Amino acid sequence: MKANMLSRVADGMFWLNRYMERTDGMLLTLNTLYILSFDKEMNDSQGYKPLLEYYTDLSRQQIIQAQYNTNFVLKYIICDNLNQNSVKNLVIKARENARGSQDKITKELWEHINSLYHFMNDPELPKKLETYDALSIITKLNKELLLYNGILHVTMPRGLGWCFSSIGKHIERCLQTISLTQAYYNPIGYDLDGEKICCIEKTTFIAFGLRVVFKKLQQYSPQSKSSATSGFQ
């Protein structure tokens, strides 16, 4: 059976899961650093500096000024409209992509994304982040992203939509892992095999991930598997 998908729908599935994976990774990092911020004995702590360096476009001076400012970081990362990588803006962009791909995602997945969208647009959310409710909000958001991944894995059919979703998700995860590792270890001047190590790692991870997903896509291709994959053997 021939499987077809519009390019705009494939693009929507790709970016939906890139945005949600980025949100998940950012919230997990924020949760860890927020809890560590209560430990006053950590004199060698970088505060929120690695998080701000990777997930924001703040200047170096702005990052230095804000790296120990918990209230600023929570609101800037979670619900600042001017921060293109805030949780709120990422969820809005993910929802836009999901809306354009509704015929390829399940009802349960769309309803969960829509519910998260409405939670992030609560006008009282910034004020709550300044109170003792901050940790419960971060925990709730982490659970919502965990639930999203569970719904995605349980309800989504393993077709072209699933494959494009997997491409976006795993590329984003690779880039986050490499970039956050670099952000944490740059201050100590690490150098594994030279200055180009991170570029090489990024290229290798992305190439490997694309090769794996490409081979899965051939299951849904009208061409014969042997002819379609001959160049990848």
Side-chain angles (χ1 to χ4, degrees), residues 3 5 156-165 216-217 220:
M5 178 178 285
M156 278 288 292
R158 273 31 176 193
L160 283 173
W162 170 265
C163 291
F164 281 107
S165 297
K216 288 185 178 181
L217 282 170
Y220 309 97

Side-chain angles (χ1 to χ4, degrees), residues 121-139:
N121 281 278
D122 181 0
E124 297 297 319
L125 187 59
K127 294 180 182 179
K128 291 179 181 178
L129 289 172
E130 297 178 354
T131 68
Y132 60 86
D133 286 332
L135 183 57
S136 62
I137 291 172
I138 297 172
T139 302

Side-chain angles (χ1 to χ4, degrees), residues 83-96:
N83 176 14
Q84 293 301 310
N85 258 348
S86 69
V87 174
K88 181 178 180 179
N89 282 326
L90 288 176
V91 169
I92 289 173
K93 289 185 281 191
R95 181 176 179 268
E96 290 173 354

Side-chain angles (χ1 to χ4, degrees), residues 178 193-207:
I178 296 165
D193 293 318
E195 296 179 354
K196 297 182 179 180
I197 182 64
C198 284
C199 293
I200 295 172
E201 286 174 342
K202 284 183 180 180
T203 305
T204 303
F205 274 122
I206 292 173

Side-chain angles (χ1 to χ4, degrees), residues 1 6 8 12 19 40 47 63 78 82 100 126 143-144 146 148 160 198 201 204:
M1 179 179 178
L6 294 174
R8 64 172 177 80
Y19 289 137
K40 303 301 182 182
I63 291 175
I78 293 177
L82 299 179
K143 288 181 178 178
E144 291 296 323
L146 183 63
Y148 167 84
L160 283 173
C198 284
E201 286 174 342
T204 303

Side-chain angles (χ1 to χ4, degrees), residues 48-91:
Y48 297 98
K49 186 178 179 181
L51 179 74
L52 296 173
E53 283 182 340
Y54 178 61
Y55 289 109
T56 74
D57 57 359
L58 295 175
S59 67
R60 184 175 180 181
Q61 186 61 33
Q62 288 174 313
I63 291 175
I64 292 173
Q65 292 175 352
Q67 69 181 98
Y68 299 109
N69 188 338
T70 297
N71 285 338
F72 170 82
V73 171
L74 288 180
K75 288 190 286 187
Y76 189 74
I77 291 293
I78 293 177
C79 57
D80 195 314
N81 291 321
L82 299 179
N83 176 14
Q84 293 301 310
N85 258 348
S86 69
V87 174
K88 181 178 180 179
N89 282 326
L90 288 176
V91 169

